[in-house]
Amino acid sequence: MKKVILFLTLILCLSACSRIDLAVYFADTYVQKKADDYFDLTRDQSKWLKKALKSDIDKVKKTIFPQLAAELIRNADIVNSQRSFDVATVQLSYERVRNLFYDGLRIFSPEAVAFSRKLEPSQVNVFQKEFDKKMRDIKEDASERESYKRMKKHLDSWLGGLTSAQKKELESYVHKAPSHVNEKVYNRQLLAHEFVRSFPDLNARGKFVEGIFTHYESMREPAYSKLTNEKDREVIALVTSILNKMTDSQRETLIETLRDRANQLIKLSKN
């Protein structure tokens, strides 16, 4: 389950970092360190995981990166040719990137299942303690201020900085939008409970982990899934509005950033 969160973090890094190559270079070490935090890995487990991650990340680079690069270039062309945007256009771009994320996630499935089979019963106790700590951290980071900082950071990374009017719009959205942090934590607690429940049975454990990597959305708690979909629509509407308030300088920065990150992805896919 944790690798889902980690892979999402990796994708977010790829979309927000100006140096994608650095994010990719350290990805296997970062994920390995987080997995060690959750399970207190043995030396053999750690070595095996690092090798497996490197292989899977290479597959992502060669199969997903070219497609993601093409999507970024497509978006750059749209921004370059259109002076205004509608929700449907932004929604389509979001869905295309989201589908690529899930395609990438599936690549990790076989090795994730194999890794889960290497875990020992004693490591479940370590997982439960670390999981509880992370859930407390999530609640502490759910403040309105932290939400604003996170969203502004991502928007700044694409536009080069928000105008006063765009900042006010973002502030208004964050102030009005419910955090759903309790629902998020509850959803993750259900998944963690299912992982622990399935652990004694190798087949059940493998099936659960495979499900997380191949059809994660269907495994979320239904009420939380509905809230998440609603929030996605609200964020898409916000982004559409901010794009329609772009200055000429922001437009140029966005086009340049999209093309630069696309070129980085293409280059990485060939290495």
Side-chain angles (χ1 to χ4, degrees), residues 92-173:
L92 178 61
S93 294
Y94 166 78
E95 290 177 352
R96 290 163 71 108
V97 171
R98 181 189 60 186
N99 290 338
L100 287 173
F101 161 72
Y102 283 117
D103 287 345
L105 192 61
R106 293 185 188 98
I107 289 174
F108 289 83
S109 177
E111 300 290 13
V113 172
F115 172 70
S116 74
R117 294 176 181 274
K118 294 180 178 293
L119 296 173
E120 299 295 332
S122 62
Q123 292 173 309
V124 175
N125 294 328
V126 178
F127 167 79
Q128 289 179 311
K129 291 179 181 178
E130 185 65 18
F131 176 83
D132 290 341
K133 177 179 178 298
K134 294 299 183 183
M135 293 307 100
R136 291 193 295 271
D137 292 343
I138 286 177
K139 289 186 176 183
E140 291 176 1
D141 291 339
S143 68
E144 185 175 313
R145 180 173 176 271
E146 290 300 319
S147 295
Y148 173 81
K149 286 169 59 178
R150 282 194 296 270
M151 294 186 72
K152 183 179 180 297
K153 179 180 178 181
H154 286 298
L155 290 168
D156 283 346
S157 74
W158 293 103
L159 300 174
L162 299 182
T163 65
S164 296
Q166 290 166 336
K167 289 178 184 177
K168 288 181 180 179
E169 184 167 11
L170 177 58
E171 288 172 353
S172 177
Y173 165 80

Coordinates of all heavy atoms in Angstrom, one line a residue, residues 92-173:
L92 N -9.8 17.0 -19.7 CA -9.2 16.1 -20.6 C -7.7 15.9 -20.4 O -7.2 14.7 -20.3 CB -9.4 16.4 -22.1 CG -8.8 15.5 -23.1 CD1 -9.4 14.1 -23.0 CD2 -9.1 16.1 -24.5
S93 N -7.0 17.0 -20.2 CA -5.5 16.9 -19.9 C -5.3 16.2 -18.6 O -4.4 15.3 -18.5 CB -4.9 18.3 -19.9 OG -5.0 18.9 -21.1
Y94 N -6.1 16.5 -17.6 CA -6.0 15.8 -16.3 C -6.2 14.3 -16.4 O -5.4 13.5 -15.9 CB -7.0 16.4 -15.3 CG -7.2 15.6 -14.1 CD1 -6.2 15.6 -13.0 CD2 -8.3 14.7 -13.9 CE1 -6.4 14.8 -11.9 CE2 -8.4 14.0 -12.8 CZ -7.5 14.0 -11.8 OH -7.7 13.2 -10.7
E95 N -7.2 13.9 -17.2 CA -7.5 12.5 -17.3 C -6.4 11.8 -18.1 O -6.1 10.6 -17.7 CB -8.9 12.3 -18.0 CG -10.1 12.8 -17.2 CD -11.4 12.7 -17.9 OE1 -11.4 12.4 -19.1 OE2 -12.4 12.9 -17.3
R96 N -5.9 12.4 -19.1 CA -4.8 11.7 -19.8 C -3.6 11.5 -19.0 O -3.0 10.4 -19.0 CB -4.5 12.6 -21.1 CG -5.6 12.6 -22.1 CD -5.4 13.7 -23.1 NE -4.3 13.5 -24.0 CZ -4.4 13.2 -25.3 NH1 -5.6 13.0 -25.8 NH2 -3.3 13.0 -26.0
V97 N -3.2 12.5 -18.2 CA -2.1 12.3 -17.3 C -2.4 11.3 -16.2 O -1.5 10.5 -15.8 CB -1.7 13.7 -16.6 CG1 -0.6 13.5 -15.6 CG2 -1.1 14.6 -17.7
R98 N -3.6 11.4 -15.7 CA -4.0 10.4 -14.6 C -3.9 9.0 -15.2 O -3.4 8.0 -14.5 CB -5.4 10.7 -14.2 CG -5.9 9.7 -13.1 CD -7.4 9.9 -12.8 NE -8.2 9.7 -14.0 CZ -9.5 9.9 -14.1 NH1 -10.1 10.3 -13.0 NH2 -10.1 9.6 -15.2
N99 N -4.4 8.7 -16.4 CA -4.3 7.4 -17.0 C -2.9 6.9 -17.1 O -2.6 5.8 -17.0 CB -5.0 7.4 -18.3 CG -6.5 7.5 -18.2 OD1 -7.1 7.3 -17.1 ND2 -7.2 8.0 -19.2
L100 N -2.0 7.9 -17.5 CA -0.6 7.5 -17.6 C 0.0 7.1 -16.2 O 0.8 6.2 -16.1 CB 0.2 8.7 -18.2 CG 0.0 8.9 -19.7 CD1 0.7 10.2 -20.1 CD2 0.5 7.7 -20.5
F101 N -0.4 7.9 -15.2 CA 0.0 7.5 -13.8 C -0.4 6.1 -13.5 O 0.4 5.3 -13.0 CB -0.6 8.5 -12.8 CG -0.7 8.0 -11.4 CD1 0.5 7.9 -10.7 CD2 -1.8 7.5 -10.8 CE1 0.5 7.4 -9.4 CE2 -1.8 7.0 -9.5 CZ -0.7 7.0 -8.8
Y102 N -1.6 5.7 -13.8 CA -2.0 4.3 -13.5 C -1.4 3.3 -14.4 O -1.1 2.2 -13.9 CB -3.6 4.2 -13.6 CG -4.3 4.8 -12.4 CD1 -5.1 5.9 -12.5 CD2 -4.0 4.3 -11.1 CE1 -5.7 6.5 -11.4 CE2 -4.6 4.9 -10.0 CZ -5.5 6.0 -10.2 OH -6.1 6.5 -9.1
D103 N -1.1 3.7 -15.6 CA -0.3 2.8 -16.5 C 1.1 2.5 -15.9 O 1.6 1.4 -15.9 CB -0.1 3.4 -17.9 CG -1.4 3.3 -18.7 OD1 -2.3 2.6 -18.3 OD2 -1.5 4.0 -19.7
G104 N 1.7 3.6 -15.3 CA 3.0 3.5 -14.7 C 2.9 2.7 -13.4 O 3.8 1.9 -13.2
L105 N 1.9 2.9 -12.7 CA 1.7 2.1 -11.4 C 1.7 0.6 -11.7 O 2.2 -0.2 -10.9 CB 0.5 2.6 -10.7 CG 0.2 2.2 -9.3 CD1 1.4 2.7 -8.4 CD2 -1.1 2.7 -8.8
R106 N 1.0 0.2 -12.7 CA 0.9 -1.2 -13.1 C 2.2 -1.8 -13.3 O 2.4 -3.0 -13.1 CB 0.0 -1.4 -14.3 CG -1.5 -1.0 -14.0 CD -2.4 -1.3 -15.2 NE -3.7 -0.8 -15.0 CZ -4.2 0.4 -15.5 NH1 -3.3 1.1 -16.3 NH2 -5.4 0.8 -15.2
I107 N 3.2 -1.1 -13.8 CA 4.5 -1.6 -14.1 C 5.1 -2.2 -12.8 O 5.9 -3.1 -12.8 CB 5.4 -0.5 -14.7 CG1 4.9 -0.3 -16.2 CG2 6.9 -0.9 -14.7 CD1 5.6 0.9 -16.9
F108 N 4.8 -1.5 -11.7 CA 5.4 -1.9 -10.4 C 4.7 -3.1 -9.8 O 5.2 -3.7 -8.8 CB 5.4 -0.8 -9.4 CG 6.3 0.4 -9.7 CD1 6.0 1.3 -10.6 CD2 7.6 0.4 -9.1 CE1 6.8 2.4 -10.9 CE2 8.4 1.5 -9.4 CZ 8.0 2.5 -10.3
S109 N 3.6 -3.5 -10.3 CA 2.8 -4.6 -9.7 C 3.5 -5.9 -9.4 O 3.5 -6.4 -8.3 CB 1.5 -4.8 -10.5 OG 0.7 -5.8 -9.9
P110 N 4.1 -6.5 -10.4 CA 4.7 -7.8 -10.2 C 5.8 -7.8 -9.1 O 5.9 -8.7 -8.2 CB 5.4 -8.2 -11.6 CG 4.5 -7.4 -12.5 CD 4.2 -6.1 -11.9
E111 N 6.7 -6.8 -9.1 CA 7.7 -6.7 -8.1 C 7.2 -6.3 -6.8 O 7.7 -6.7 -5.7 CB 8.8 -5.7 -8.6 CG 9.5 -6.0 -9.9 CD 10.4 -7.2 -9.8 OE1 10.3 -7.9 -8.8 OE2 11.2 -7.4 -10.8
A112 N 6.1 -5.5 -6.7 CA 5.5 -5.2 -5.5 C 4.9 -6.4 -4.8 O 5.1 -6.6 -3.6 CB 4.4 -4.2 -5.7
V113 N 4.3 -7.3 -5.6 CA 3.8 -8.6 -5.0 C 4.9 -9.4 -4.5 O 4.9 -10.0 -3.4 CB 3.0 -9.3 -6.1 CG1 2.6 -10.7 -5.6 CG2 1.7 -8.5 -6.5
A114 N 6.0 -9.5 -5.3 CA 7.2 -10.3 -4.9 C 7.8 -9.8 -3.6 O 8.2 -10.5 -2.7 CB 8.2 -10.3 -6.0
F115 N 7.8 -8.4 -3.5 CA 8.4 -7.8 -2.3 C 7.5 -8.1 -1.1 O 8.0 -8.4 0.0 CB 8.5 -6.3 -2.5 CG 8.9 -5.6 -1.3 CD1 10.2 -5.7 -0.7 CD2 8.0 -4.7 -0.6 CE1 10.5 -5.0 0.4 CE2 8.3 -4.1 0.5 CZ 9.6 -4.2 1.0
S116 N 6.2 -8.1 -1.3 CA 5.3 -8.3 -0.2 C 5.5 -9.7 0.4 O 5.3 -10.0 1.6 CB 3.9 -8.1 -0.6 OG 3.4 -9.2 -1.4
R117 N 5.9 -10.7 -0.5 CA 6.0 -12.1 -0.1 C 7.3 -12.2 0.7 O 7.5 -13.3 1.4 CB 6.0 -13.0 -1.3 CG 4.7 -13.0 -2.0 CD 4.8 -13.9 -3.3 NE 3.5 -14.0 -3.9 CZ 2.5 -14.8 -3.7 NH1 2.7 -15.7 -2.7 NH2 1.4 -14.8 -4.3
K118 N 8.2 -11.3 0.7 CA 9.5 -11.4 1.4 C 9.4 -10.8 2.8 O 10.3 -11.0 3.6 CB 10.6 -10.6 0.6 CG 10.9 -11.2 -0.7 CD 12.0 -10.4 -1.4 CE 12.4 -11.1 -2.8 NZ 13.0 -12.4 -2.6
L119 N 8.3 -10.2 3.1 CA 8.1 -9.6 4.4 C 7.9 -10.6 5.5 O 7.2 -11.6 5.2 CB 7.0 -8.6 4.4 CG 7.1 -7.3 3.5 CD1 5.8 -6.5 3.4 CD2 8.3 -6.5 4.0
E120 N 8.4 -10.4 6.7 CA 8.2 -11.3 7.8 C 7.1 -10.8 8.7 O 6.8 -9.6 8.8 CB 9.5 -11.4 8.6 CG 10.7 -11.9 7.8 CD 10.5 -13.3 7.4 OE1 9.8 -14.1 8.1 OE2 11.1 -13.7 6.4
P121 N 6.4 -11.7 9.5 CA 5.4 -11.3 10.4 C 5.7 -10.2 11.4 O 4.9 -9.3 11.7 CB 5.0 -12.6 11.1 CG 5.4 -13.7 10.2 CD 6.6 -13.2 9.4
S122 N 7.0 -10.2 11.9 CA 7.4 -9.2 12.8 C 7.4 -7.8 12.2 O 7.2 -6.8 12.9 CB 8.8 -9.5 13.3 OG 9.8 -9.5 12.3
Q123 N 7.5 -7.7 10.9 CA 7.6 -6.4 10.2 C 6.2 -5.8 10.1 O 6.1 -4.6 9.8 CB 8.2 -6.6 8.8 CG 9.7 -6.9 8.9 CD 10.3 -7.2 7.6 OE1 9.8 -8.1 6.8 NE2 11.4 -6.5 7.3
V124 N 5.1 -6.6 10.3 CA 3.8 -6.0 10.3 C 3.6 -5.1 11.5 O 2.9 -4.1 11.4 CB 2.7 -7.2 10.3 CG1 1.3 -6.6 10.5 CG2 2.8 -8.0 9.1
N125 N 4.2 -5.5 12.6 CA 4.1 -4.6 13.8 C 4.8 -3.3 13.6 O 4.3 -2.2 14.0 CB 4.7 -5.3 15.0 CG 3.9 -6.6 15.4 OD1 2.7 -6.6 15.3 ND2 4.7 -7.6 16.0
V126 N 5.9 -3.3 12.9 CA 6.7 -2.1 12.6 C 5.8 -1.2 11.6 O 5.7 0.0 11.8 CB 8.0 -2.4 11.9 CG1 8.7 -1.1 11.5 CG2 8.9 -3.3 12.8
F127 N 5.2 -1.9 10.7 CA 4.3 -1.2 9.7 C 3.1 -0.5 10.5 O 2.8 0.7 10.2 CB 3.7 -2.2 8.7 CG 2.6 -1.6 7.9 CD1 2.8 -0.8 6.9 CD2 1.3 -1.9 8.2 CE1 1.7 -0.3 6.1 CE2 0.2 -1.4 7.5 CZ 0.5 -0.6 6.5
Q128 N 2.5 -1.2 11.4 CA 1.4 -0.6 12.1 C 1.7 0.6 12.9 O 1.0 1.6 12.9 CB 0.7 -1.7 13.0 CG 0.0 -2.8 12.2 CD -0.6 -3.8 13.1 OE1 0.0 -4.3 14.0 NE2 -1.9 -4.1 12.9
K129 N 2.9 0.6 13.6 CA 3.3 1.7 14.4 C 3.7 2.9 13.5 O 3.3 4.1 13.8 CB 4.6 1.3 15.2 CG 4.3 0.3 16.3 CD 5.5 0.0 17.1 CE 5.2 -1.0 18.2 NZ 6.4 -1.4 18.9
E130 N 4.4 2.6 12.4 CA 4.8 3.7 11.5 C 3.6 4.3 10.7 O 3.4 5.5 10.5 CB 5.8 3.2 10.4 CG 6.3 4.3 9.5 CD 7.2 5.4 10.2 OE1 7.6 5.1 11.4 OE2 7.4 6.4 9.6
F131 N 2.6 3.4 10.4 CA 1.4 3.9 9.7 C 0.6 4.8 10.6 O 0.2 5.9 10.2 CB 0.5 2.7 9.4 CG -0.8 3.0 8.8 CD1 -0.9 3.3 7.4 CD2 -1.9 3.1 9.6 CE1 -2.1 3.7 6.9 CE2 -3.1 3.5 9.0 CZ -3.2 3.8 7.7
D132 N 0.5 4.5 11.9 CA -0.3 5.3 12.8 C 0.4 6.7 12.9 O -0.3 7.7 13.0 CB -0.3 4.7 14.2 CG -1.3 3.4 14.2 OD1 -2.1 3.3 13.3 OD2 -1.1 2.6 15.1
K133 N 1.7 6.7 13.0 CA 2.5 8.0 13.0 C 2.2 8.8 11.8 O 2.0 10.0 11.9 CB 4.0 7.7 13.2 CG 4.8 8.9 13.2 CD 6.3 8.6 13.4 CE 7.2 9.8 13.3 NZ 7.1 10.5 12.0
K134 N 2.2 8.2 10.6 CA 2.0 8.9 9.4 C 0.6 9.5 9.3 O 0.4 10.6 8.8 CB 2.3 8.0 8.2 CG 3.7 7.6 8.0 CD 4.6 8.7 7.8 CE 6.1 8.3 7.6 NZ 7.0 9.4 7.4
M135 N -0.4 8.8 9.8 CA -1.7 9.3 9.8 C -1.8 10.5 10.7 O -2.6 11.4 10.4 CB -2.7 8.2 10.3 CG -2.8 7.0 9.4 SD -3.3 7.4 7.6 CE -1.6 7.3 6.8
R136 N -1.1 10.5 11.8 CA -1.1 11.7 12.7 C -0.5 12.9 12.0 O -0.9 14.0 12.1 CB -0.4 11.4 14.0 CG -1.1 10.5 14.9 CD -0.5 10.5 16.3 NE 0.9 10.0 16.3 CZ 1.2 8.7 16.5 NH1 0.3 7.8 16.6 NH2 2.5 8.3 16.5
D137 N 0.6 12.6 11.2 CA 1.3 13.6 10.4 C 0.3 14.2 9.4 O 0.3 15.4 9.1 CB 2.5 13.1 9.7 CG 3.6 12.7 10.7 OD1 3.5 13.2 11.9 OD2 4.5 12.0 10.3
I138 N -0.5 13.4 8.7 CA -1.4 13.8 7.7 C -2.4 14.8 8.3 O -2.7 15.9 7.7 CB -2.1 12.6 7.1 CG1 -1.2 11.9 6.2 CG2 -3.4 13.1 6.3 CD1 -1.8 10.6 5.5
K139 N -2.9 14.5 9.5 CA -3.9 15.4 10.2 C -3.2 16.7 10.5 O -3.8 17.8 10.4 CB -4.4 14.7 11.4 CG -5.4 13.6 11.1 CD -6.0 13.0 12.3 CE -7.1 12.0 12.0 NZ -7.8 11.5 13.2
E140 N -1.9 16.7 10.9 CA -1.3 17.9 11.3 C -1.0 18.8 10.1 O -0.9 20.0 10.2 CB 0.1 17.6 12.0 CG -0.2 17.0 13.4 CD 1.2 16.6 14.1 OE1 2.2 16.8 13.4 OE2 1.1 16.0 15.2
D141 N -0.8 18.2 8.9 CA -0.5 18.9 7.7 C -1.7 19.3 6.9 O -1.6 19.8 5.8 CB 0.4 18.1 6.8 CG 1.8 17.9 7.3 OD1 2.2 18.7 8.2 OD2 2.5 16.9 6.9
A142 N -2.9 19.1 7.5 CA -4.1 19.4 6.8 C -4.7 20.8 7.1 O -5.8 21.1 6.7 CB -5.2 18.4 7.2
S143 N -3.9 21.7 7.6 CA -4.3 23.0 7.9 C -4.5 23.8 6.6 O -4.0 23.5 5.6 CB -3.3 23.8 8.8 OG -2.1 24.0 8.1
E144 N -5.4 24.8 6.7 CA -5.6 25.7 5.6 C -4.3 26.3 5.0 O -4.1 26.4 3.8 CB -6.6 26.8 6.0 CG -7.1 27.7 4.9 CD -8.2 28.6 5.3 OE1 -9.1 28.2 6.0 OE2 -8.0 29.8 5.0
R145 N -3.5 26.7 5.9 CA -2.2 27.3 5.5 C -1.3 26.4 4.8 O -0.7 26.7 3.7 CB -1.5 27.8 6.8 CG -0.1 28.5 6.5 CD 0.5 29.1 7.8 NE 1.8 29.7 7.5 CZ 2.9 29.0 7.7 NH1 2.9 27.7 8.0 NH2 4.1 29.6 7.4
E146 N -1.2 25.1 5.2 CA -0.4 24.1 4.6 C -1.0 23.8 3.2 O -0.2 23.6 2.2 CB -0.2 22.9 5.4 CG 0.6 23.1 6.7 CD 2.0 23.5 6.3 OE1 2.6 23.0 5.4 OE2 2.6 24.4 7.0
S147 N -2.3 23.7 3.1 CA -3.0 23.4 1.8 C -2.7 24.5 0.8 O -2.4 24.2 -0.4 CB -4.5 23.2 2.0 OG -4.8 22.1 2.8
Y148 N -2.8 25.7 1.3 CA -2.5 26.9 0.4 C -1.0 26.8 -0.1 O -0.8 27.0 -1.3 CB -2.8 28.2 1.1 CG -2.3 29.4 0.3 CD1 -3.1 29.9 -0.7 CD2 -1.1 30.0 0.6 CE1 -2.7 31.0 -1.4 CE2 -0.7 31.1 -0.2 CZ -1.5 31.6 -1.1 OH -1.1 32.7 -1.9
K149 N -0.1 26.6 0.8 CA 1.3 26.5 0.4 C 1.6 25.4 -0.6 O 2.4 25.7 -1.5 CB 2.2 26.3 1.7 CG 2.3 27.5 2.6 CD 2.9 27.2 3.9 CE 4.3 26.6 3.8 NZ 4.9 26.4 5.1
R150 N 1.0 24.3 -0.4 CA 1.2 23.2 -1.3 C 0.7 23.5 -2.7 O 1.4 23.3 -3.7 CB 0.6 21.9 -0.8 CG 1.4 21.2 0.3 CD 0.9 19.8 0.5 NE -0.5 19.8 1.0 CZ -0.9 19.8 2.3 NH1 0.1 19.9 3.2 NH2 -2.1 19.8 2.6
M151 N -0.5 24.0 -2.8 CA -1.1 24.3 -4.1 C -0.4 25.4 -4.8 O -0.2 25.4 -6.0 CB -2.6 24.6 -3.9 CG -3.4 23.4 -3.4 SD -5.2 23.7 -3.4 CE -5.6 23.8 -5.2
K152 N 0.0 26.5 -4.0 CA 0.7 27.6 -4.6 C 2.0 27.2 -5.1 O 2.5 27.6 -6.2 CB 0.9 28.7 -3.6 CG 1.6 29.9 -4.1 CD 1.7 31.0 -3.0 CE 2.4 32.3 -3.6 NZ 3.7 32.0 -4.1
K153 N 2.7 26.3 -4.4 CA 4.0 25.8 -4.9 C 3.9 25.1 -6.2 O 4.8 25.4 -7.1 CB 4.6 24.8 -3.8 CG 6.0 24.3 -4.2 CD 6.5 23.3 -3.2 CE 7.8 22.7 -3.6 NZ 8.3 21.7 -2.6
H154 N 2.9 24.3 -6.4 CA 2.7 23.6 -7.7 C 2.4 24.6 -8.8 O 2.9 24.5 -9.9 CB 1.7 22.5 -7.6 CG 2.2 21.3 -6.8 ND1 3.2 20.5 -7.2 CD2 1.8 20.8 -5.6 CE1 3.5 19.6 -6.4 NE2 2.6 19.7 -5.4
L155 N 1.5 25.5 -8.5 CA 1.1 26.5 -9.6 C 2.3 27.4 -9.9 O 2.5 27.7 -11.1 CB -0.1 27.3 -9.1 CG -1.4 26.5 -9.0 CD1 -2.5 27.4 -8.2 CD2 -2.0 26.2 -10.4
D156 N 3.0 27.8 -8.9 CA 4.2 28.6 -9.2 C 5.2 27.9 -10.1 O 5.9 28.5 -10.9 CB 4.9 29.0 -7.8 CG 4.2 30.1 -7.1 OD1 3.3 30.8 -7.7 OD2 4.5 30.3 -5.9
S157 N 5.3 26.6 -9.9 CA 6.3 25.8 -10.6 C 6.0 25.8 -12.1 O 6.9 25.7 -12.9 CB 6.4 24.4 -10.1 OG 5.3 23.6 -10.5
W158 N 4.8 26.0 -12.5 CA 4.4 26.0 -13.9 C 4.3 27.4 -14.4 O 4.7 27.7 -15.6 CB 3.0 25.3 -14.1 CG 3.1 23.9 -13.8 CD1 2.7 23.2 -12.7 CD2 3.6 22.8 -14.7 NE1 2.9 21.9 -12.8 CE2 3.5 21.6 -14.0 CE3 4.2 22.9 -15.9 CZ2 3.9 20.4 -14.5 CZ3 4.6 21.7 -16.5 CH2 4.5 20.4 -15.8
L159 N 3.8 28.4 -13.6 CA 3.5 29.7 -14.1 C 4.6 30.7 -13.7 O 4.6 31.9 -14.2 CB 2.2 30.2 -13.6 CG 1.0 29.4 -13.9 CD1 -0.3 29.9 -13.2 CD2 0.7 29.4 -15.4
G160 N 5.6 30.3 -12.9 CA 6.6 31.3 -12.5 C 6.2 32.2 -11.4 O 6.9 33.2 -11.2
G161 N 5.1 32.0 -10.8 CA 4.6 32.9 -9.7 C 3.2 33.4 -10.0 O 2.8 33.6 -11.2
L162 N 2.3 33.5 -9.0 CA 0.9 33.9 -9.2 C 0.8 35.4 -9.0 O 1.6 36.0 -8.3 CB 0.0 33.2 -8.2 CG 0.0 31.7 -8.2 CD1 -1.0 31.2 -7.2 CD2 -0.4 31.2 -9.6
T163 N -0.2 36.0 -9.7 CA -0.5 37.4 -9.5 C -1.3 37.6 -8.2 O -1.7 36.6 -7.6 CB -1.3 37.9 -10.7 OG1 -2.6 37.3 -10.7 CG2 -0.6 37.7 -12.0
S164 N -1.5 38.8 -7.8 CA -2.2 39.1 -6.6 C -3.7 38.5 -6.7 O -4.2 37.9 -5.8 CB -2.3 40.6 -6.3 OG -1.0 41.0 -6.0
A165 N -4.3 38.7 -7.9 CA -5.6 38.2 -8.1 C -5.7 36.7 -8.1 O -6.6 36.1 -7.5 CB -6.1 38.8 -9.5
Q166 N -4.7 36.1 -8.6 CA -4.7 34.6 -8.6 C -4.5 34.1 -7.2 O -5.1 33.1 -6.8 CB -3.6 34.1 -9.6 CG -3.9 34.3 -11.0 CD -2.7 34.1 -11.9 OE1 -1.6 34.3 -11.5 NE2 -2.9 33.8 -13.2
K167 N -3.6 34.7 -6.4 CA -3.4 34.3 -5.1 C -4.7 34.4 -4.2 O -5.0 33.6 -3.4 CB -2.3 35.2 -4.4 CG -0.9 34.9 -4.9 CD 0.1 35.9 -4.3 CE 1.5 35.7 -4.8 NZ 2.4 36.7 -4.2
K168 N -5.4 35.5 -4.5 CA -6.7 35.7 -3.7 C -7.7 34.6 -4.1 O -8.4 34.1 -3.2 CB -7.2 37.1 -4.0 CG -6.5 38.2 -3.4 CD -7.1 39.6 -3.7 CE -6.3 40.7 -3.0 NZ -6.9 42.1 -3.4
E169 N -7.7 34.3 -5.4 CA -8.6 33.2 -5.8 C -8.2 31.9 -5.2 O -9.1 31.1 -4.7 CB -8.6 33.1 -7.3 CG -9.6 32.1 -7.8 CD -9.8 32.2 -9.3 OE1 -9.1 32.9 -10.0 OE2 -10.8 31.6 -9.8
L170 N -7.0 31.6 -5.1 CA -6.5 30.4 -4.5 C -6.8 30.4 -3.0 O -7.3 29.4 -2.4 CB -5.0 30.2 -4.7 CG -4.3 29.0 -4.1 CD1 -5.0 27.7 -4.5 CD2 -2.8 29.0 -4.4
E171 N -6.6 31.5 -2.3 CA -6.9 31.6 -0.9 C -8.3 31.4 -0.7 O -8.7 30.7 0.3 CB -6.5 33.0 -0.4 CG -4.9 33.2 -0.3 CD -4.6 34.7 0.0 OE1 -5.5 35.5 0.0 OE2 -3.4 34.9 0.2
S172 N -9.2 32.0 -1.5 CA -10.6 31.8 -1.4 C -11.0 30.3 -1.5 O -11.9 29.8 -0.7 CB -11.4 32.7 -2.4 OG -12.8 32.5 -2.3
Y173 N -10.4 29.7 -2.5 CA -10.8 28.3 -2.7 C -10.4 27.4 -1.5 O -11.2 26.6 -1.0 CB -10.0 27.8 -4.0 CG -10.1 26.2 -4.0 CD1 -11.2 25.6 -4.5 CD2 -9.0 25.5 -3.6 CE1 -11.2 24.2 -4.5 CE2 -9.0 24.1 -3.6 CZ -10.1 23.5 -4.1 OH -10.2 22.1 -4.1

